Amino acid sequence: MTAPLFGPARRVFELTLGEMLWARRTAFMALAAGAPIVIAILARLAVVNGSAVLTVNGNRIGTQAMFETAVSVLYLRFIVPALGVFYGTSLIADEVEDRTITYLFTRPIARGAIVLGKYLAYLLCVAAVVLPSLALVFLIMVPFQNMGPLFGKLLTDLGILALGLAAYGALFLWAGVSFKRPLVGGLVFIFGWEPLAMVLPGYLRYLTIAHYLQASASNVASVLAITAAAVLLAMRTIQTREYVLEQ
Amino acid sequence: MIIAAEHLSKWYGHVSGLNDVTVSVPEGITGLLGPNGAGKSTFMKIVTGQLRPSTGSVRVFGEPIWGNPAQYRRLGFCPEQDAFYEHMTGMQWVEALARLHGMSHDAAQAAARQALDAVDLLDVGDRKIGAYSKGMRQRVKLAQAIVHEPQLLILDEPLSGMDPIMRRRTIRLITDWARAGRSVIVSSHILHEIEAMTANILLMHNGRVVAEGNVHQIRGLIDAQPHRVSIRAEQPRALAQQLLAGDDVSSVRFDGDAVIVETPRPDSFYARLTGIAASGEAGAVDEVTSPDDNLQAVFSYLVKS
């Protein structure tokens, strides 16, 4: 009784893309992607006016260093995990809460195709907003003469952000498929567990996604493996799970 | 038999939704009649593979339905819940769902047009569902259920909230559907709605099938109970005046812009209401609903006896 996967997933993908534009969380995504651009403009203006925005031990921090801080703190520690948790948990949970899942579950498509199509739509949607946002911040913050040498670093950062969006989205997609109220647990994971585990000694950091988003070939493989495992697990869970809709 | 259920039970934690139901549903139209909470929706959700039975088994067209998505090529479901992608137009929504049946863009568009036409929504197909009236929302749900021309249509309270004219048209659509050699299972808590479509009914109460067979056998019992109808109309007072002119209305009162009518003869009353709505003499009749307390009284009587 195996049904085709990719054709139906593509159709769910098309349907979900349109849906995501109208989702309640779209305003949050716009804010998340727009805020760094505004901060970058303000920082650049401050530097142009001669006042340093940040100083460390009396040393002025330039816009190039600020860009790197923006990537590691603003994007990787806040925007990417937050988008992953808000969107990932909602992909299926919203359909269940809104009771529209019935229309998807009573079509001749495998439930796994619904999960896959929705996940790919999420990935395209957030990547299309977050990656250009980072590129814009780079163009605003990094002085023109430094752009050439730093272009390779920008490409690496874009890749890491894409991997982060994929991994967090997949993990929280699985949480949304498996649990009734996944958002709170997701927020605790990204803003409680991850920062804590990253500073604790020992091996606890291996139980975070943030740890694997540090550029190295083995970490890239780990992030891809986490992503694939979470998506497959979500596809398997939805296949066997029963959703009792409230009337 | 299109559906065969054996010792079907469903528990929601400690609450029983369905209790040891063994039933065979033949081809044609079958009415599922029972008050709210009788187990009709649970039965339909199990039969449509959305819920898994706690015990027992169900086969649709001789095959299991849970985890068997290929079955949905032959099955169309219109749920009770008023849930939509509100920002989509009726056309976009029905077409998108048709696409999930594997239709090409053009085929899905043509099928959606045909389905919307069948439920008299083609002229407002480009309007957002969020702007639809209750009756239109009911009909667009029906359109998504028939868009792939299934062999079996399962409709959960499809007439709820429709105005009298649309109610009559929808009943005709359902009976025509069955006349073309296809099958329908339709639930309602209003006997005369079911009776207008079929004589073959399953009576449900407290999660059990308490009777099955010909509707006329319980007819007398149900008619003995006063039947209450709530009508939302453009000119409620003019409508009440028209309704009181007939001898099939025993009382009328107002509740906001709704007229609440009690009738001892629902058949005659509904026929007359449809005539009044069609004539437009009392303005537009927007929504007709009936609480299930009259049916609940019948079931209480049946269970006690």
Side-chain angles (χ1 to χ4, degrees):
Chain A
M1 280 189 249
T2 51
L5 189 64
F6 294 105
R10 185 170 59 84
R11 287 156 198 256
V12 174
F13 168 84
E14 290 165 4
L15 176 64
T16 308
L17 262 190
E19 269 302 289
M20 289 190 83
L21 291 176
W22 296 92
R24 292 176 286 238
R25 289 161 177 84
T26 303
F28 170 75
M29 182 165 71
L31 192 71
I37 298 170
V38 174
I39 292 169
I41 291 170
L42 293 176
R44 189 64 198 250
L45 286 175
V47 169
V48 167
N49 290 338
S51 57
V53 174
L54 284 174
T55 55
V56 175
N57 296 332
N59 296 321
R60 181 172 144 171
I61 304 295
T63 49
Q64 184 182 319
M66 283 167 58
F67 170 73
E68 284 165 13
T69 309
V71 172
S72 61
V73 177
L74 202 52
Y75 281 95
L76 278 175
R77 289 287 170 86
F78 180 75
I79 294 173
V80 168
L83 286 178
V85 77
F86 277 101
Y87 268 100
T89 54
S90 72
L91 286 171
I92 296 295
D94 270 9
E95 296 267 6
V96 173
E97 195 181 315
D98 296 344
R99 296 168 300 159
T100 47
I101 195 82
T102 301
Y103 302 113
L104 301 178
F105 279 176
T106 51
R107 305 290 146 188
I109 54 176
R111 289 185 177 191
I114 298 171
V115 166
L116 186 61
K118 281 185 163 286
Y119 173 71
L120 293 175
Y122 147 82
L123 202 53
L124 180 72
C125 204
V126 290
V129 172
V130 173
L131 302 188
S133 159
L134 181 70
L136 262 177
V137 169
F138 176 83
L139 291 174
I140 294 166
M141 282 188 140
V142 176
F144 184 73
Q145 64 274 16
N146 295 350
M147 278 184 187
L150 283 175
F151 190 69
K153 169 85 172 73
L154 171 67
L155 291 182
T156 307
D157 288 340
L158 288 172
I160 291 170
L161 289 202
L163 282 173
L165 290 168
Y168 282 111
L171 180 70
F172 295 118
L173 167 71
W174 168 76
V177 165
S178 306
F179 304 109
K180 207 164 183 188
R181 306 250 183 274
L183 185 59
V184 175
L187 289 172
V188 169
F189 180 85
I190 59 168
F191 294 126
W193 169 249
E194 285 215 317
L196 183 68
M198 288 294 281
V199 296
L200 287 175
Y203 298 101
L204 286 177
R205 68 185 59 207
Y206 292 106
L207 298 176
T208 67
I209 289 177
H211 168 74
Y212 300 102
L213 292 177
Q214 295 160 0
S216 84
S218 64
N219 281 352
V220 169
S222 301
V223 175
L224 289 175
I226 290 169
T227 303
V231 172
L232 288 172
L233 207 55
M235 288 168 67
R236 189 174 160 72
T237 304
I238 201 171
Q239 204 72 36
T240 51
R241 193 171 167 209
E242 196 179 49
Y243 295 88
V244 178
L245 308 183
E246 285 162 20
Q247 286 297 326
Chain B
M1 290 294 159
I2 48 168
I3 293 176
E6 283 185 22
H7 302 293
L8 210 55
S9 293
K10 181 68 192 173
W11 292 84
Y12 301 104
H14 295 295
V15 180
S16 167
L18 215 55
N19 194 350
D20 197 27
V21 169
T22 296
V23 73
S24 295
V25 179
E27 288 180 2
I29 304 178
T30 300
L32 213 55
L33 186 66
N36 287 337
K40 306 185 300 285
S41 290
T42 299
F43 180 74
M44 288 188 152
K45 283 175 185 167
I46 290 177
V47 161
T48 53
Q50 296 173 78
L51 294 179
R52 192 168 27 190
S54 303
T55 61
S57 66
V58 62
R59 296 182 85 81
V60 181
F61 300 115
E63 287 180 35
I65 181 80
W66 173 261
N68 188 5
Q71 285 273 49
Y72 298 113
R73 294 197 187 285
R74 300 192 277 182
L75 195 155
F77 179 54
C78 176
E80 184 185 12
Q81 71 255 23
D82 185 52
F84 300 91
Y85 301 141
E86 301 279 348
H87 67 274
M88 287 177 112
T89 67
M91 184 71 187
Q92 286 169 338
W93 187 60
V94 177
E95 188 190 326
L97 294 176
R99 292 267 291 144
L100 296 180
H101 281 273
M103 294 183 200
S104 68
H105 178 74
D106 289 348
Q109 202 167 43
R113 288 183 71 83
Q114 203 175 337
L116 287 171
D117 194 27
V119 298
D120 287 306
L121 280 182
L122 190 55
D123 55 335
V124 290
D126 58 354
R127 224 189 273 173
K128 286 195 170 145
I129 296 175
Y132 279 4
S133 69
K134 176 84 197 297
M136 289 156 91
R137 292 161 77 88
Q138 283 291 93
R139 280 143 60 198
V140 79
K141 269 197 302 193
L142 190 55
Q144 65 78 33
I146 62 174
V147 70
H148 56 294
E149 305 219 334
Q151 231 171 305
L152 169 61
L153 204 48
I154 298 182
L155 313 171
D156 198 355
E157 301 270 1
L159 303 178
S160 167
M162 281 189 189
D163 67 62
I165 296 165
M166 269 330 299
R167 204 174 266 246
R168 193 168 57 181
R169 283 190 194 166
T170 305
I171 288 172
R172 191 176 306 149
L173 170 78
I174 293 168
T175 49
D176 286 349
W177 188 268
R179 211 166 286 138
R182 293 171 285 204
S183 298
V184 182
I185 298 176
V186 55
S187 77
S188 176
H189 60 267
I190 303 168
L191 172 69
H192 96 97
E193 275 184 6
I194 294 281
E195 205 178 15
M197 294 180 259
T198 182
N200 182 37
I201 61 163
L202 291 174
L203 271 179
M204 295 194 73
H205 185 61
N206 281 344
R208 290 177 180 273
V209 172
V210 291
E212 56 181 299
N214 196 298
V215 70
H216 302 297
Q217 290 160 2
I218 63 151
R219 181 66 210 245
L221 277 174
I222 288 180
D223 276 356
Q225 307 294 327
H227 187 91
R228 196 140 46 94
V229 184
S230 167
I231 309 153
R232 209 166 286 282
E234 194 181 18
Q235 298 170 28
R237 289 189 185 278
L239 178 66
Q241 207 170 12
Q242 294 257 345
L243 292 174
L244 279 169
D247 58 0
D248 49 14
V249 169
S250 52
S251 74
V252 166
R253 65 182 172 83
F254 295 97
D255 181 13
D257 60 346
V259 187
I260 313 290
V261 177
E262 264 196 6
T263 171
R265 288 188 285 129
D267 282 346
S268 153
F269 169 76
Y270 278 109
R272 206 157 59 80
L273 177 63
T274 305
I276 293 169
S279 71
E281 285 169 17
V285 175
D286 300 321
E287 190 180 313
V288 180
T289 53
S290 174
D292 64 353
D293 44 2
N294 50 325
L295 194 59
Q296 184 67 53
V298 172
F299 279 104
S300 300
Y301 173 81
L302 276 174
V303 171
K304 276 181 205 155
S305 59

